[in-house]
Amino acid sequence: MANIAFIGLGIMGGPIAGHLAKAGHKLTVYNRSIGKAKRWAEAYGGAVAVSPAKAAEDAEIVISCVGTDDDLSQVTVGREGAFRTMKPGGLFVDHTTVSARIARQLFVEGESRGLHCVDAPVSGGQAGAENGRLSIMCGGTKPAVEAAKIVMQSYAARIVHVGGAGSGQTTKMVNQICIAGVIQGLSEALRFAQAAELDLDKVFEAVSGGAAQSWQMDNRWKTMAEDSFDFGFAIDWMRKDLGLALEEARANGATLPVTALVDQFYADVQAMGGNRQDTSALVRRITRA
């Protein structure tokens, strides 16, 4: 069992840290909101730290799940960041969805301090985190990823070592590019079926068993038809992720016309007040016939 510092106890980080505690690991947690950290500790045990640096003092492994590049930079190399107190040989695993650029930067910074770094963004949403069924895409050296797998297996259904530093983050961008196109297609299909006055349950039964089937269709067709969008992954976060993909595409020369268009469609839904609604709220911008 490992001595772990866990930084960031949001809708993803909180359940992930909970699985680690249930697996028997010793956790010290940090969250920007100290109240949330205390509530987590009351539920799962473990200690609460007042800063990432304090959380990491005695940790063999530091795991983060925060919000943005700036948040990640602050909790790692900031004035009270975890890298300040991590000991040489320590393992750092980041589950935040951020730019490949900062993942590569942290790898280099960690290497200079004798640390092993893995960028390991996750897919599966809040339900995947709560059920311990996340898909994790990893960038880093093989020894570092193999070491990370030992603890990640307590909350993952699939763990894939994609390549070197930053590869996990670029693979997560691939994931979000795929999802953006699927949700737009699903939104158009649903509105088309409604305009044709079809029985939506029968339509789903007919098409979900063939080539049109997808996770989004299986889990969001019915709720989209009911205008229900209160699920885990918010549009604000999707736009952040698509922005990262578009930024990386400008750097590597890839062309993402559909992704860029769907990103702007999400901006329309934000303007309608849908910032915190699930990504399937994309259908809201297509008016009913």
Side-chain angles (χ1 to χ4, degrees):
M1 295 296 104
N3 191 356
I4 299 173
F6 201 99
I7 301 168
L9 299 169
I11 62 171
M12 300 296 288
I16 291 172
H19 287 296
L20 290 168
K22 290 175 183 177
H25 298 290
K26 180 181 178 183
L27 268 72
T28 300
V29 299
Y30 168 79
N31 194 74
R32 186 161 49 189
S33 167
I34 191 70
K36 184 175 289 186
K38 288 180 177 177
R39 288 191 294 273
W40 183 93
E42 289 171 1
Y44 296 101
V48 175
V50 296
S51 71
K54 283 291 184 183
E57 279 182 346
D58 299 314
E60 303 158 88
I61 303 171
V62 175
I63 302 175
S64 60
C65 190
V66 288
T68 65
D69 281 29
D70 288 343
D71 295 330
L72 181 58
S73 179
Q74 184 177 3
V75 301
T76 52
V77 296
R79 187 171 59 182
E80 297 185 70
F83 280 22
R84 305 292 184 186
T85 56
M86 288 182 70
K87 297 176 177 60
L91 174 64
F92 173 70
V93 179
D94 177 45
H95 288 318
T96 317
T97 296
V98 288
S99 69
R101 181 186 65 255
I102 193 171
R104 291 188 285 262
Q105 289 172 345
L106 290 179
F107 178 86
V108 172
E109 179 67 27
E111 198 171 42
S112 72
R113 298 169 183 263
L115 306 176
H116 307 286
C117 296
V118 177
D119 55 288
V122 302
S123 179
Q126 184 177 356
E130 291 173 350
N131 296 325
R133 301 291 296 170
L134 292 170
S135 177
I136 307 179
M137 44 220 87
C138 302
T141 66
K142 184 176 181 179
V145 173
E146 290 300 316
K149 282 182 179 180
I150 296 171
V151 293
M152 291 192 299
Q153 63 187 2
S154 66
Y155 48 87
R158 177 177 297 180
I159 304 169
V160 180
H161 182 194
V162 183
S167 296
Q169 293 299 344
T170 50
T171 302
K172 179 62 183 288
M173 295 172 198
V174 172
N175 187 80
Q176 303 305 73
I177 291 166
C178 292
I179 290 173
V182 168
I183 297 177
Q184 176 60 22
L186 189 62
S187 298
E188 293 179 12
L190 177 66
R191 288 291 190 248
F192 178 87
Q194 289 172 327
E197 299 183 347
L198 295 173
D199 182 322
L200 297 183
D201 291 336
K202 292 296 183 183
V203 172
F204 174 78
E205 183 182 357
V207 304
S208 63
Q213 185 275 338
S214 67
W215 185 98
Q216 295 292 337
M217 176 176 285
D218 289 347
N219 291 275
R220 296 289 181 263
W221 175 270
K222 181 177 175 61
T223 55
M224 288 166 71
E226 296 171 346
D227 293 325
S228 178
F229 309 111
D230 187 21
F231 301 101
F233 195 70
I235 285 174
D236 282 349
W237 292 112
M238 185 60 161
R239 287 214 70 205
K240 182 205 76 169
D241 291 359
L242 294 181
L244 293 171
L246 292 167
E247 178 185 357
E248 190 70 15
R250 286 190 287 270
N252 67 21
T255 304
L256 303 177
V258 173
T259 303
L261 185 62
V262 175
D263 179 55
Q264 290 307 302
F265 288 168
Y266 274 124
D268 293 343
V269 183
Q270 285 178 319
M272 297 165 66
N275 303 63
R276 301 303 301 170
Q277 290 183 322
D278 177 78
T279 51
S280 62
L282 188 63
V283 73
R284 290 182 59 199
R285 66 172 301 280
I286 306 176
T287 56
R288 294 173 184 262

